[in-house]
Amino acid sequence: MTRIPYSPALSRRSVLRLGAGASAGMALAPLTGCAGPTGAPGPGAISLGLNRSLVSLDNKLNQFDAAVTVQRAVRQALTRIGKGLRPELVLADRFEMTEPTAWTVRLREGVRYSDGTPVTVKDVSTALKMYARVNGSFIVGLFPEMPTVEPVDERTFRLHTKRPVPILDQLMANILISPAARNRPEELSGGAGSGPYVVTAANSGTGEYTLAVNPRYWGRRPTVDRVRVRFVPEESSRVVAVRSGELDVIDTITPDSAEQLKGLPGVRLDRTSGTRVNQLFFNFRKPRGHPLADARVREALSYAIDGEALVRDVLTDSAQQAEGVVPLALKGAVRTGRYVHDPGEARKRLAALGASDLKVKIIWESGEFPADTSVMEAVLEMLRGAGVRASLQQFEPGGDIQQWRQGRRGDWDVLGNGFSVPTGHASTSLQGMYGGTPEKERSRDTYQGYVFPRIATRLADASAETDEKTRNARLAAVQKQIWDTRPCLWAFVPDVVLARRTRVRDVGLLQLNSYDLAAVRLEG
């Protein structure tokens, strides 16, 4: 791992110089040396270069931002989250709360899978059951409870919950529907879908897929005939490939890469505010008596981190420090506090708490967020500057970090992690990260072991409130309580940045860091 030493005087220019030099050296390696593309995509086709391996065209466990674009091109949900973070109808033409605990839904007439079979009410019911059977599912963690299905007629059904779920239409945007007979709890790499594309070639090991237009698609036919998806782990290789035309679109690029690509002929950057929070999240599975089990110690450690320098010098102003426990762009989010940099205060507090000789191990997966390695290297030096003995362990994509996250493998103290909010509403993020219960923890379905029963109860009560004004007031109160538990060493909200060849038009990048692949068109 290349170390970039941190000092308070580290300037934006010096960081960019270091980053550009490293990227230039890495770019000397041939593109074929990694799992990257070879050759331009050709007429009528586009090639996407992902920064993380797409292990399946399902999302039961695999739900990182850029994957959504490809997954939804093959499998669809009843709804989706569109512009302005508003829910839009997809497989359903009606999705209405008709009782506090019931929604009436009607499938769109004529919707079919790629094999010609119709999308049915049973498919929806089976999909919900399959998601619920997945151990450690990110998607299930977003739901206060999974709804049950009551068929009404061939196209109409009711979704029932024990308590009101006022944003169920937004939550259901994450349940991708497959034929009931072929659905299963595992992630599905192939098979029939209702989306505008079908899979013609797949290699989940390398993260390479080829998609072609679904001839039976029920909606408007896409203008792009073929889509090539590639996993290209080295960002320098992705940058070289988009410059040369071997790749048409690359996602989640670092500030350094954005600077390199800005203003280049034939390349354009798309940017929007994001709804993903990137965190240095504490391990809440520490036993009682461990220093990190004390919120005062966690707060003391946060004083060691110079967030303003990280945003200015490492992230080059392409992100904002978090001022709450969820991104402020989300509906229902509020400011709860801010991160303060004072290494002297960190030392003083740690000493008073008997934690002067603290060791901290930070783990993360490569590509979890832009400039991840540079951020981690700087954080390491900041902690050392406050007298904390820190170490880093980086995992390659496709490794076993999920086992570590669930407390089933090695021990760690801080996790570099990103949490996407695929509904656009704060209650989803709050439920997914902070709604842990002892029951969920037994199956490791909590967020890094975060279990505070009182917070979980208040969060559930707030999320179930059908009056929006009252719900937001209750959510605001519980967000402040969560902040007081000091869940993060530091957190930030990055901008969404995508680079594309100018031949690719109408991308329509959303705040969720995804776009409608069927709406994309090509020129030239």
Side-chain angles (χ1 to χ4, degrees):
M1 178 186 299
T2 302
R3 289 181 179 266
I4 300 177
Y6 169 81
S7 71
L10 188 65
S11 68
R12 179 189 305 182
R13 181 177 298 176
S14 62
V15 172
L16 287 174
R17 189 187 305 119
L18 284 168
S23 296
M26 294 166 64
L28 295 176
L31 200 57
T32 54
C34 63
T38 55
I46 63 172
S47 186
L48 314 181
L50 305 186
N51 74 322
R52 297 178 67 184
S53 181
L54 179 60
V55 298
S56 82
L57 273 301
D58 197 1
N59 70 334
K60 293 187 179 73
L61 280 171
N62 185 28
Q63 177 77 8
F64 69 88
D65 296 352
V68 173
T69 296
V70 182
Q71 290 168 340
R72 290 177 185 273
V74 177
R75 288 181 170 83
Q76 297 177 305
L78 297 170
T79 61
R80 67 183 173 199
I81 306 301
K83 293 181 179 180
L85 301 177
R86 294 185 296 270
E88 300 173 350
L89 297 173
V90 183
L91 293 179
D93 65 8
R94 181 190 179 193
F95 203 119
E96 180 184 1
M97 178 186 283
T98 47
E99 299 175 29
T101 59
W103 294 68
T104 299
V105 185
R106 185 177 63 192
L107 293 173
R108 192 180 299 273
E109 188 173 7
V111 291
R112 294 183 175 271
Y113 295 110
S114 55
D115 62 2
T117 59
V119 177
T120 67
V121 173
K122 184 178 181 181
D123 296 340
V124 178
S125 176
T126 300
L128 284 165
K129 293 175 182 176
M130 294 301 103
Y131 277 83
R133 287 173 55 185
V134 174
N135 184 27
S137 170
F138 167 78
I139 298 297
V140 173
L142 302 176
F143 283 76
E145 61 177 286
M146 296 298 281
T148 58
V149 175
E150 176 199 2
V152 175
D153 56 38
E154 287 188 354
R155 292 172 50 206
T156 309
F157 58 95
R158 294 189 183 93
L159 290 173
H160 292 280
T161 54
K162 295 178 181 178
R163 301 188 69 184
V165 182
I167 63 165
L168 189 58
D169 54 343
Q170 295 161 263
L171 286 164
M172 288 299 291
N174 299 283
I175 302 295
L176 303 185
I177 311 301
S178 298
R182 283 171 278 180
N183 208 342
R184 59 182 188 276
E186 297 80 11
E187 293 181 292
L188 308 174
S189 294
S194 62
Y197 289 93
V198 294
V199 182
T200 58
N203 187 330
S204 60
T206 62
E208 298 187 7
Y209 298 83
T210 301
L211 311 181
V213 170
N214 175 5
R216 294 190 176 95
Y217 182 48
W218 56 271
R220 184 176 179 180
R221 188 186 189 280
T223 60
V224 176
D225 295 328
R226 286 175 292 114
V227 180
R228 290 166 45 184
V229 182
R230 299 288 185 267
F231 167 47
V232 188
E234 298 293 350
E235 180 161 358
S236 59
S237 297
R238 293 197 302 277
V239 170
V240 170
V242 80
R243 292 180 66 169
S244 69
E246 291 187 29
L247 286 175
D248 286 304
V249 184
I250 58 175
D251 67 279
T252 320
I253 60 176
T254 64
D256 287 352
S257 294
E259 286 291 325
Q260 294 176 46
L261 293 170
K262 186 177 180 180
L264 285 179
V267 178
R268 178 171 176 175
L269 295 176
D270 291 342
R271 186 189 299 267
T272 186
S273 60
T275 61
R276 175 184 177 89
V277 61
N278 291 331
Q279 311 154 312
L280 301 181
F281 205 92
F282 286 109
N283 185 351
F284 279 84
R285 294 191 175 96
K286 296 296 183 181
R288 182 175 298 179
H290 191 284
L292 291 181
D294 188 337
R296 297 172 299 172
V297 173
R298 298 194 295 270
E299 182 179 7
L301 283 171
S302 72
Y303 280 93
I305 307 305
D306 189 349
E308 290 185 2
L310 287 170
V311 168
R312 181 185 65 245
D313 299 331
V314 180
L315 297 168
T316 60
D317 296 319
S318 65
Q320 299 79 42
Q321 285 200 84
E323 297 182 88
V325 293
V326 295
L328 296 180
L330 298 173
K331 296 176 181 177
V334 296
R335 287 180 173 84
T336 54
R338 63 188 185 93
Y339 292 98
V340 178
H341 176 231
D342 189 338
E345 183 69 12
R347 285 177 176 270
K348 178 182 175 180
R349 292 193 179 203
L350 290 173
L353 294 167
S356 295
D357 195 32
L358 191 62
K359 296 180 181 179
V360 174
K361 180 177 182 178
I362 304 175
I363 68 171
W364 84 100
E365 184 179 80
S366 298
E368 185 65 37
F369 48 79
D372 54 324
T373 300
S374 298
V375 169
M376 294 306 191
E377 291 285 351
V379 167
L380 179 77
E381 298 302 328
M382 291 172 183
L383 288 171
R384 288 177 176 174
V388 178
R389 290 185 288 170
S391 62
L392 303 179
Q393 182 169 347
Q394 184 175 8
F395 291 77
E396 292 304 316
D400 60 354
I401 194 171
Q402 179 71 6
Q403 295 291 314
W404 287 65
R405 287 166 50 115
Q406 294 179 338
R408 303 178 189 275
R409 201 59 80 81
D411 191 25
W412 54 275
D413 300 303
V414 176
L415 171 71
N417 191 53
F419 194 94
S420 300
V421 188
T423 66
H425 200 283
S427 64
T428 307
S429 180
L430 294 167
Q431 184 72 34
M433 288 189 286
Y434 306 110
T437 63
E439 293 75 20
K440 289 181 179 179
E441 177 59 15
R442 281 195 284 271
S443 60
R444 290 299 193 262
D445 284 328
T446 65
Y447 194 70
Q448 329 319 334
Y450 189 96
V451 178
F452 288 81
R454 178 178 293 183
I455 286 177
T457 297
R458 291 180 177 178
L459 179 57
D461 290 343
S463 300
E465 174 57 55
T466 55
D467 179 74
E468 184 176 9
K469 184 176 180 180
T470 303
R471 179 170 71 247
N472 287 342
R474 292 181 177 179
L475 286 174
V478 78
Q479 286 173 71
K480 294 175 182 177
Q481 293 170 347
I482 293 168
W483 177 268
D484 290 340
T485 67
R486 308 303 297 197
C488 298
L489 176 65
W490 185 61
F492 65 99
V493 180
D495 294 339
V496 176
V497 184
L498 173 150
R500 59 180 171 85
R501 300 293 300 179
T502 53
R503 70 189 286 262
V504 180
R505 303 297 181 91
D506 296 341
V507 169
L509 181 62
L510 299 172
Q511 288 179 274
L512 300 179
N513 196 14
S514 63
Y515 53 93
D516 182 5
L517 200 53
V520 172
R521 61 186 179 89
L522 294 176
E523 288 189 1

